[in-house]
Structures are given as structure tokens and as C-alpha cells.
Amino acid sequence: MSTEVAQNTLSSLLEAVQPPNGGRNIHDPATGELVARAPEHGTEELDAAVAAARAAQAAWAARSHGERSEFLNRAADAIEASAEALAELLSREQGKPLNGPNARFEVGACASWLRATAALDLQPEVLVDDATSHAELHYRPLGVIGAIGPWNWPMMISVWQLAPSLRMGNTVVMKPSEYTPLSVLALAAVINTELPDGVLTVVSGGREVGERLAAHPGIDKVMFTGSTATGKAIIRSSADTVKRLTLELGGNDAGIVLEDADPRAIAEDLFWGAFINTGQTCAALKRLYVPESIYDEVCDALVEVARLMPMGNGLDENNVLGPLQNKAQFDIVARLVDEARAAGARVLIGGNPVDDQPGYFYPTTLVADIANDNSLVVEEQFGPALPIIRYSTLDDAIAMANGLDVGLGASVWSSDPAQARQVAARIQAGSVWINKHGAIDPRVPFGGTKQSGYGLEFGVDGLKALGAPQVIS
Ligand code: NAD
């Protein structure tokens, strides 16, 4: 554990995470240039990491909540001291710009999430206390947590998984996405300057390592954030060991604009609700329902905002939108927009990626007059293309919003908060925001309904999810 917090540069971070030779080449999605090599770990490294985590767990659990919170706060200090280098690495590997609600914002959120998790208060609950009986509910450490993450917000989501796990007295083995291992390895290297050995280990490997982690007898719970398809695979591979699971899966969040909304006043928040991280966000606005009476005004206001938001290489401070992280995701977005256009939908802006530039840039795209059963509406685009669907009655809009088998987030846009609340109550989603979208908070629980997963993250409920409930009576 350091007494002075080290300040890293990009090259010192890469030196800490690159293997001496070999490994997987990681390319910058904006330029195609090599960023660095990432270690390719397999079953042997996974088994060693789980063994180290098990060995370290008892001593970690023996510390008090206050002591563990102190470690989390120091880890936050370490992240802040190396924030610019971490943001640069994140931008180069993931593609997101430094500026805007992107790389610097993500690194800042890592530190603030650690501090907020450290500050949560979890007390034993007295369930019954009368003349004949006394019962209390406690939350004990579960043991070793396996954390499997995606490539869209690799650092922040890692912290969402590790902070409550560590706070509750568990140790952690992380398996980052094979698309963004460097960001997670570097973040963990910084955090590990403050943690005892074995408490947090990163195993950098492909999906087969994730599969093995989910089945591993030495893992007590899996925290998973990623696609619904992979979530189902994890349910299956974790079944034999009856593992606890928190599954934060895919979404296709609806936003409903009510007739009394002011199109110009809401346009910028609507835009960022949909296009944060260039649309590669689990709880981004992915389908927008707008009433006939203000449809054209909302479309015009959104186009106006979209024109003002520069997209390009993330290291250029001007840019607030970046490339798609990988070719597979670029192809999904391109296919969905092409299908919408072929079906007669109207592309208001974007829709024509330029072939002769390097990088997976797909232009900011707004698609109007699109049918609710079009694939751009029904499938998760996970990129910068927003379908805007016209509705005539509020009941229709709510039925369309609830018509899919996912339910992560949703939003209602109105000048009348009371009416917006009534509409919110009728939407099937784990979080419904009013006049904003995707505004998560480390003190407020977050999780999906339907096939968007189960279990809660954040807040005291998020801590409880990383504990084994025990009743003493
Ligand atoms: P993904 O499911 O393809 O991969 C996620 C992780 O799972 C990777 O680390 C991968 O190696 C691993 N993996 C793949 N197959 C596995 C298996 N069989 N067993 C165990 N692990 C396996 O997801 P992605 O493409 O990285 O992320 C995009 C998806 O994640 C989108 O659907 C998005 O909506 C969702 N997501 C959800 C949230 C949320 O909080 N609900 C947050 C971010 C992303």
C-alpha cells in the first residue's frame, strides 16, 4: 500500500499492463492504430486468480466496514491522481472522446462511485423484537465475486461491480471484455496500489474465460453486465454451482414525449439521453415516441442539436461523439439504418457513413416516420441512430413502449410532473426518468425488468446484493 499516491502517464500505465511479449493486439477504433498488447490469459491464470482471491478473502472480510471504506476512498484518490492518463487510454482503446460525457467523465465517475459506495450505511435490521422473540438480519460476505464486463463503459462498470463487492468483504476476480482489456487492467493496476494482494485480480481473456469463471466452483457470485444472450449463457453455466447472479443485460429504452412538452426545451437532454457514448450505453434512449401534434417540432429541434455535436477522434478536444468501438457493432448499426430506409422511413440526418476514412465512425442519425415493428425499433441498435415513432394516443404510446421483452430504463418528457409520474407508473422498466434519461446515481438502485436482467446495483440495495443474508434469532 502506498503512502503517496502515484501519478501515472499513459506510458507508465501501458508498461504496467502489457505482457513482455505476445498477447492480443488492441487497435484504436478511431484510427486503426495499435494501442498496445493485452495479456491473453486462460484457464491456468483464472484458476490462479481464484485461488489468490480465496486465500485473501478471510483477512479482507475480517476488516471492518470502516476500514474497507477507507481502502475504497484511497483507491479513489489513486484514480484521481492518474485521471488524465486513464482517460487517454480509455479514449484510445474504447474510442470515446476525452471531452463531453465521455472518457474524463467516466474516470471521474469511477472515483465518485468508489467514494459513494464507501459512504453507504448498512446496519443489521431488527426484524422482530417483542417479549417472546428477537430476530435480526445481517449481511455476511459471500466469498469470491466473479465480475464479467462489457466494452462500452469498461472502467465505470468495473467499479460498479468491484466497489460494493469489496465493501461487503468479498474479494474479486474480473474478466473484462476482450475488446477493452487495457482500460480495466490499467484501472485495476491503479486501484491495486492501495489494496492488499489478491483482493482484486484481472484475468484478461476471451469469452471462454468468462464461461469458465461462471462455472468455477471457487466463485460464489457472478456480477455480469453485457448482452441478454450472454446473460442466458451465464445462467446455464452457473447452474451446477447454484451461484448467485446479478445480471445487467441489454435494453431498448423507450422515451415518451407528452403533448405538453416544449420541444426546444427538451431537445438537448433528449439528444444526450440517446447519444451519450455515441449511443453505446445500456440505458440510453433507443426509441422515442412523440405525439402527432408536436412531432415535426421535436424532430426539427433534435436535428438542430445533432448538427452542433462534432464527431471524430476522441483525443481531439473538439469532439463529443466518437467511433463505434468495433466493426461488429458498426455493422449492426449500418444494417438497422439501411433496413429502416428500405422500409420507407425518413432519415432526417446522418445515415451515410463515409468509406474513405479510417475508424468505425457512423454519423449521428435520426430516423422519422418509422413503423414500430421496424428492426431499428425492435432490436437494440447500441449506436448513434435514433428512431422517432409517431403516436396518436397516450395509451398507444405506452403499449408500444411496453411491447418488447426488455425493460431496463425509460423516460417521460412533460411540463407537468404529476402527469409524467402517472405515465411512468405504467411503463415496464426498472428505472423511469422524468425529463432526463439514463441519469444514474450511486445512491439509487438500478436494475432491469423482463429480459434486461435481475438484481439491483448501487445504493444500500446494491450492497445487500453482494452479501449473504443471515438471520440470527
Ligand atoms: P457481451 O455479452 O458480448 O460480452 C460481455 C462480456 O461477457 C465480455 O467480457 C465477454 O467476453 C463475456 N462473455 C461472452 N460470452 C460469455 C459466456 N458464454 N460466458 C461468460 N462470459 C461471456 O456484451 P458486450 O457486447 O460487451 O456489451 C454490449 C451489451 O451489453 C449490450 O446489449 C448492452 O445493452 C449491454 N449492457 C448492459 C448494461 C446494463 O447495465 N444493463 C450495461 C452495459 C452494457
Side-chain angles (χ1 to χ4, degrees):
M1 192 198 310
S2 66
T3 44
E4 225 173 79
V5 182
Q7 197 176 348
N8 281 284
T9 60
L10 179 61
S11 53
S12 70
L13 285 180
L14 289 177
E15 205 175 305
V17 304
Q18 259 196 128
N21 40 51
R24 174 195 292 268
N25 286 342
I26 301 291
H27 296 275
D28 183 333
T31 61
E33 285 165 15
L34 182 69
V35 178
R37 290 170 290 105
E40 271 195 294
H41 294 149
T43 312
E44 213 173 294
E45 287 88 354
L46 174 65
D47 289 345
V50 174
R54 290 220 81 82
Q57 199 265 327
W60 182 247
R63 295 176 185 271
S64 67
H65 273 284
E67 283 177 289
R68 290 193 297 264
S69 288
E70 228 354 82
F71 278 103
L72 298 189
N73 283 326
R74 283 209 297 272
D77 294 342
I79 289 170
E80 278 163 355
S82 293
E84 195 57 21
L86 286 167
E88 199 180 327
L89 175 56
L90 177 60
S91 179
R92 296 204 56 200
E93 183 181 53
Q94 204 284 335
K96 64 183 69 192
L98 288 170
N99 208 345
N102 293 298
R104 290 191 185 110
F105 167 84
E106 178 167 352
V107 173
C110 290
S112 56
W113 234 270
L114 280 161
R115 292 193 201 289
T117 309
L120 292 169
D121 183 29
L122 176 64
Q123 297 295 335
E125 290 164 43
V126 176
L127 305 170
V128 180
D129 189 23
D130 59 24
T132 55
S133 191
H134 183 87
E136 294 168 355
L137 179 60
H138 296 253
Y139 288 88
R140 309 299 182 197
L142 282 161
V144 180
I145 307 302
I148 305 177
W151 48 258
N152 58 340
W153 293 91
M155 290 187 181
M156 188 172 74
I157 289 174
S158 295
V159 169
W160 291 358
Q161 297 174 331
L162 71 87
S165 300
L166 297 180
R167 168 69 202 273
M168 292 301 290
N170 308 289
T171 54
V172 177
V173 176
M174 305 208 77
K175 207 300 281 174
S177 167
E178 53 276 35
Y179 288 108
T180 50
L182 298 170
S183 298
V184 177
L185 285 159
L187 179 80
V190 169
I191 292 175
N192 270 333
T193 57
E194 302 298 331
L195 296 180
D197 285 349
V199 168
L200 171 65
T201 312
V202 179
V203 181
S204 161
R207 53 190 312 132
E208 63 297 338
V209 176
E211 212 168 328
R212 166 82 184 139
L213 185 72
H216 205 294
I219 295 286
D220 298 285
K221 169 160 185 165
V222 172
M223 299 285 289
F224 173 70
T225 297
S227 64
T228 298
T230 304
K232 290 176 186 176
I234 288 175
I235 293 170
R236 285 189 285 268
S237 44
S238 66
D240 280 348
T241 45
V242 197
K243 279 189 182 46
R244 277 75 190 130
L245 300 175
T246 291
L247 300 176
E248 294 288 357
L249 309 179
N252 196 340
D253 291 10
I256 302 181
V257 177
L258 304 188
E259 285 200 324
D260 67 357
D262 175 349
R264 288 198 182 276
I266 63 174
E268 189 161 344
D269 288 333
L270 276 176
F271 178 84
W272 283 117
F275 291 92
I276 183 167
N277 200 25
T278 316
Q280 303 160 104
T281 299
C282 49
L285 173 51
K286 291 172 182 156
R287 317 173 266 152
L288 183 62
Y289 294 94
V290 180
E292 189 72 56
S293 56
I294 55 168
Y295 188 82
D296 291 340
E297 280 172 83
V298 170
C299 288
D300 291 349
L302 272 171
V303 168
E304 228 169 87
V305 175
R307 279 194 212 291
L308 297 174
M309 301 298 176
M311 177 184 285
N313 190 314
L315 300 181
D316 179 337
E317 297 281 348
N318 285 323
N319 294 324
V320 291
L321 297 163
L324 274 311
Q325 203 282 328
N326 54 70
K327 173 78 165 61
Q329 197 59 48
F330 178 93
D331 289 344
I332 290 172
V333 176
R335 170 180 64 81
L336 291 173
V337 175
D338 288 348
E339 285 174 10
R341 196 178 357 224
R346 194 158 51 96
V347 177
L348 300 175
I349 185 172
N352 285 311
V354 185
D355 284 344
D356 61 357
Q357 65 178 19
Y360 306 125
F361 289 99
Y362 196 92
T364 306
T365 300
L366 294 165
V367 180
D369 295 329
I370 182 166
N372 193 49
D373 61 357
N374 188 278
S375 48
L376 178 60
V377 180
V378 174
E379 292 178 37
E380 185 186 29
Q381 69 277 55
F382 217 60
L386 179 69
I388 309 170
I389 304 109
R390 212 182 272 269
Y391 75 81
S392 46
T393 71
L394 185 55
D395 284 348
D396 284 350
I398 293 170
M400 289 191 281
N402 290 339
L404 300 182
D405 58 8
V406 285
L408 190 57
S411 53
V412 182
W413 303 76
S414 167
S415 304
D416 176 355
Q419 203 207 346
R421 267 200 172 77
Q422 285 175 8
V423 175
R426 297 173 62 193
I427 299 180
Q428 296 161 358
S431 301
V432 185
W433 293 282
I434 294 174
N435 292 330
K436 54 191 181 178
H437 196 110
I440 47 168
D441 181 320
R443 299 162 301 179
V444 178
F446 173 72
T449 57
K450 298 180 173 177
Q451 292 193 25
S452 290
Y454 45 74
L456 290 171
E457 295 188 275
F458 316 162
V460 173
D461 292 286
L463 289 186
K464 290 178 179 174
L466 272 314
Q470 181 189 50
V471 173
I472 298 187
S473 55

